[in-house]
C-alpha cells in the first residue's frame, strides 16, 4: 500500500526502492536462524513482491496505450516468468554448492535490477 501510494506520486522510483529493500531478505533468511531475522527477511521479501505485483502492472498501464496493453502485459510477464524460472534454477544449483553463493547471487541480482529500474525511472521523468 505504501509503495503503491509512492508510485502515484513519484512513479517508478517506488519500484526502485521496493526492489532495493528486498535485496536484504537473503542474508537474513539464509545466514541467521533466529525468528527475528526470519521475520525481517519475510517482511523484506513481501515488500519486494508487493512492489512487483502492484507497480509493474500500474507502470505498464501508464506507458502503453490502452489498445496495446494486453499484448504488453503478455510480453512483459512472459519474459519476467522465464527470468524468474532461470534465476530460481541458478539459485537451486548454487544452493547445492554454497549458501554464500545463493546470498551473493540474490543480493547482486536484486541490486542490479534496482539500478536498471532507476535508469528507467529517470528516463520516464524526462
Amino acid at each position: 500500500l505504501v509503495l503503491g501510494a509512492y508510485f502515484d506520486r513519484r512513479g517508478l522510483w517506488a519500484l526502485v526502492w521496493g526492489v532495493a529493500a528486498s535485496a536484504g531478505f537473503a542474508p537474513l533468511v539464509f545466514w541467521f536462524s533466529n525468528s527475528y531475522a526470519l521475520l525481517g527477511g519475510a517482511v523484506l521479501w513481501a515488500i519486494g513482491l508487493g512492489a512487483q505485483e502492484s507497480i509493474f502492472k500500474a507502470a505498464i498501464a501508464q506507458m502503453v496505450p490502452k489498445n496495446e496493453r494486453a499484448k504488453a502485459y503478455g510480453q512483459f510477464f512472459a519474459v519476467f516468468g522465464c527470468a524468474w524460472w532461470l534465476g530460481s534454477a541458478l539459485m537451486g544449483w548454487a544452493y547445492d554448492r554454497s549458501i554464500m553463493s545463493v546470498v551473493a547471487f540474490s543480493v547482486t541480482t536484486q541490486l542490479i535490477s534496482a539500478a536498471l529500474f532507476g535508469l528507467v525511472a529517470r528516463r520516464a521523468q524526462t
Side-chain angles (χ1 to χ4, degrees):
L1 293 174
V2 172
L3 288 172
Y6 189 63
F7 176 80
D8 290 339
R9 288 193 314 267
R10 299 275 303 169
L12 287 174
W13 290 107
L15 185 59
V16 173
W17 292 113
V19 170
S22 70
F25 100 92
L28 290 174
V29 169
F30 290 110
W31 286 345
F32 302 100
S33 60
N34 70 61
S35 58
Y36 294 113
L38 295 175
L39 180 62
V43 167
L44 292 176
W45 176 260
I47 289 169
L49 192 60
Q52 291 173 10
E53 289 297 315
S54 62
I55 296 170
F56 279 161
K57 293 172 185 150
I60 290 170
Q62 271 189 349
M63 290 188 241
V64 178
K66 187 174 185 176
N67 63 331
E68 296 179 20
R69 284 186 194 149
K71 182 173 70 172
Y73 285 129
Q75 290 171 338
F76 177 83
F77 284 104
V79 171
F80 181 82
C82 290
W84 191 312
W85 174 82
L86 180 60
S88 296
L90 287 170
M91 286 182 75
W93 177 83
Y95 188 84
D96 286 342
R97 278 129 191 93
S98 86
I99 295 294
M100 181 62 175
S101 64
V102 172
V103 173
F105 177 78
S106 178
V107 170
T108 301
T109 55
Q110 287 290 102
L111 293 177
I112 289 170
S113 66
L116 291 173
F117 290 136
L119 292 172
V120 172
R122 183 172 297 174
R123 193 170 189 199
Q125 284 179 329
T126 59

